[in-house]
Amino acid sequence: MGGFTRPSATPQAMRYTERVLSNLKGTGLDPHDMIYTHLTLFAYVQGLVVAVESEDRALQDTGMSGDEWMARNEPQFEAITAAGTYPLLNSMLEQGEFELDIDTLFEFGLRRTLNGVGAMIGNTRQMPPKRPVNERDHSGNGRFLANLLMRS
């Protein structure tokens, strides 16, 4: 898995990026906003994948399910919350059991992210055009992505 400041130059990564950028073409976003939109969505998905992988490793390493781990650590959570230092969190916890569902979390976050992208696209259609990408300052490793966009 490549990093964001050191992207992997592989045909698969380039093909995927090209596909996303093709979907964003014609939306009114400039190339700079298109690549940042792509990277934001990619980072969101990658972040949840890493979290799921961490959970899988924790299950493998401890042999405890998430529920078993929570039950084992409940006394520590109760000791921390009993001090009353976290009133908002305490009031939420008092309202009942919270069951984290990774699919619900993914859909929740993706929906909000895409709503934000949709709002940004709607705003670009109402705003004057931005400066071309080659007139912006792209210091550091971001220059690689800017040059990549300029070649396409």
Side-chain angles (χ1 to χ4, degrees), residues 49-107:
V49 168
V50 168
V52 169
E53 288 175 347
S54 294
E55 287 295 322
D56 290 345
R57 261 192 314 278
L59 175 61
Q60 186 178 18
D61 292 348
T62 65
M64 288 189 282
S65 70
D67 289 340
E68 292 168 329
W69 186 89
M70 289 298 288
R72 183 175 183 188
N73 287 279
E74 191 170 355
Q76 184 178 356
F77 285 110
E78 287 177 356
I80 293 170
T81 59
T85 308
Y86 310 103
L88 291 174
L89 182 57
N90 285 353
S91 69
M92 294 174 80
L93 294 174
E94 289 168 1
Q95 293 185 18
E97 288 283 322
F98 173 77
E99 187 69 34
L100 176 62
D101 177 72
I102 197 71
D103 292 332
T104 301
L105 177 61
F106 178 78
E107 290 173 17

Side-chain angles (χ1 to χ4, degrees), residues 124-142:
T124 60
R125 293 185 175 156
Q126 299 170 16
M127 296 175 69
K130 295 181 180 179
R131 292 184 299 157
V133 171
N134 59 356
E135 293 179 14
R136 294 184 183 180
D137 177 27
H138 293 282
S139 57
N141 291 324

Side-chain angles (χ1 to χ4, degrees), residues 8-64:
S8 299
T10 65
Q12 298 84 357
M14 301 290 210
R15 190 169 27 258
Y16 175 72
T17 299
E18 182 71 17
R19 186 172 175 191
V20 173
L21 296 176
S22 294
N23 286 320
L24 293 170
K25 187 175 180 167
T27 61
L29 297 179
D30 67 27
H32 181 263
D33 290 343
M34 289 169 59
I35 196 73
Y36 270 93
T37 298
H38 159 58
L39 292 173
T40 297
L41 291 168
F42 186 80
Y44 174 72
V45 172
Q46 186 180 47
L48 281 177
V49 168
V50 168
V52 169
E53 288 175 347
S54 294
E55 287 295 322
D56 290 345
R57 261 192 314 278
L59 175 61
Q60 186 178 18
D61 292 348
T62 65
M64 288 189 282

